[in-house]
Amino acid sequence: MPINTLATATLFQNTLDKVAIQEAVTGWMDSNAGQVLYNGGAEVKIPKMSVQGMGDYDRDNGYVQGGVTLEYETRKMTQDRGRKFQLDPVDINENNFVTTAASVMGEFQRMFVVPEIDAYRISKIASEAITANKAGMSEYGYTPGATGTSALRKMKEGIRAIRDLYNGPLVCHATSEFIMELELELAGKITAVTFSKGGINTQVPAVDLVPIVSTPSNRMYTAITIYDGKTSGQEGGGYTKGTTAKNINFFICPRTTPIAVTKQDIMRIFDPTINQKLNAWQMDYRRFHDIWVLDNKLDSIFINIKDAKE
């Protein structure tokens, strides 16, 4: 009995979207896209609201008229990535296609898609914060564990810098090297808080109630180079550290600062009787994603960089 490839593709698409958010360490950023309008393709519409401040109440004339503006800004997701996979029917049959395909796509997403999304988001947040060059929000030349330094003090200084301007929930991304120094300094006294990401609650360490999300160091770069998958030397696809990139120890920002979107385009599955090129099952995977920090929130990001400032 032929497999309903349309239903299977839809199932894969919905599942892979959910898994991408849950497995990405930056998956919490997608929650800020709740008001973003998306109708397919690469474009999204981001709401921007502005209101006026309070005025004096007049006992004769009442309230001063206030103004509110709500408009949608169209942005284009610059990351349009994908791969094509083919499975020989000799190796699988109709009965185990779904299981095999799910394993292949799950492994591909876990090993390559999610790390790239994380690395891209973090590098863009870092580069925009560095370019904005807000006073007191970027620090360079700190090696965790170096003599005469304190990881706890470094993080508290970052929290204080943001708290001078923002009073909402904060999130910290940090390397395991930095987190280890924190734990050694606090000698088992580090607190834990519940952190929600993609509908899953986990316990993570925290300082001053700011959750610390452990992030692999190979995703903590100020810039990355993205391979196109076809140019000589780039056939493997994925990403690598940018040629002028620096290593990030940690960064802190309000939970509402980054607006991230990741959407899988309609997934296509062709069975061997339809595939015109090869006698094989073919799966086309395509994902759009991007992240934005609105101009009025660029001063809410604190970043600590391991390398010295040039």
Side-chain angles (χ1 to χ4, degrees), residues 25-290:
V25 294
T26 59
W28 61 271
M29 299 178 185
D30 291 82
S31 63
N32 292 335
Q35 300 301 315
V36 171
L37 300 181
Y38 178 74
N39 295 312
E43 286 189 349
V44 296
K45 295 183 182 296
I46 300 175
K48 295 178 67 177
M49 179 184 291
S50 61
V51 295
Q52 293 177 302
M54 290 194 293
D56 288 340
Y57 179 79
D58 188 293
R59 295 195 178 192
D60 294 321
N61 299 313
Y63 297 96
V64 178
Q65 178 65 47
V68 57
T69 302
L70 175 62
E71 57 186 7
Y72 283 87
E73 180 178 346
T74 299
R75 297 286 187 100
K76 186 172 183 178
M77 290 183 276
T78 61
Q79 301 304 295
D80 184 354
R81 307 281 281 162
R83 273 291 191 183
K84 176 173 66 178
F85 296 93
Q86 300 192 108
L87 302 175
D88 196 298
V90 172
D91 299 324
I92 61 175
N93 56 44
E94 289 184 354
N95 293 327
N96 68 9
F97 166 74
V98 173
T99 301
T100 304
S103 299
V104 171
M105 300 310 294
E107 185 70 4
F108 167 65
Q109 186 157 278
R110 182 166 46 255
M111 296 294 294
F112 295 100
V113 177
V114 167
E116 182 177 316
I117 291 174
D118 281 337
Y120 173 77
R121 289 176 174 180
I122 291 170
S123 67
K124 191 169 182 183
I125 288 174
S127 64
E128 293 199 4
I130 291 170
T131 300
N133 197 28
K134 301 296 183 179
M137 301 305 283
S138 299
E139 188 174 31
Y140 294 82
Y142 166 60
T143 299
T147 303
T149 64
S150 166
L152 180 60
R153 184 176 183 85
K154 292 293 184 185
M155 184 169 177
K156 279 183 168 288
E157 287 175 347
I159 294 172
R160 183 203 62 195
I162 298 176
R163 288 294 187 218
D164 283 343
L165 300 170
Y166 296 89
N167 198 34
L170 305 181
V171 179
C172 173
H173 278 266
T175 62
S176 59
E177 180 183 25
F178 180 79
I179 294 174
M180 184 185 74
E181 289 305 316
L182 273 178
E183 292 173 337
L184 289 174
E185 284 188 50
L186 292 172
K189 296 179 181 178
I190 193 166
T191 59
V193 296
T194 300
F195 185 71
S196 178
K197 180 187 65 174
I200 296 178
N201 293 331
T202 57
Q203 288 287 304
V204 298
V207 169
D208 294 344
L209 299 180
V210 176
I212 306 169
V213 181
S214 181
T215 306
S217 58
N218 62 359
R219 304 181 198 181
M220 294 282 275
Y221 301 136
T222 57
I224 61 172
T225 297
I226 297 175
Y227 288 162
D228 60 21
K230 55 186 178 181
T231 301
S232 177
Q234 299 186 21
E235 295 88 349
Y239 74 96
T240 189
K241 181 181 179 181
T243 53
T244 61
K246 299 183 185 301
N247 296 294
I248 302 170
N249 289 316
F250 69 91
F251 73 90
I252 308 170
C253 68
R255 187 151 188 152
T256 56
T257 288
I259 300 175
V261 177
T262 175
K263 295 292 184 181
Q264 184 175 320
D265 198 19
I266 297 174
M267 187 172 181
R268 304 191 305 172
I269 297 176
F270 302 97
D271 70 33
T273 63
I274 297 176
N275 188 352
Q276 299 296 307
K277 188 174 182 180
L278 291 174
N279 178 25
W281 290 94
Q282 179 176 309
M283 298 175 291
D284 294 349
Y285 180 103
R286 187 180 183 187
R287 182 168 290 279
F288 296 107
H289 71 93
D290 215 323

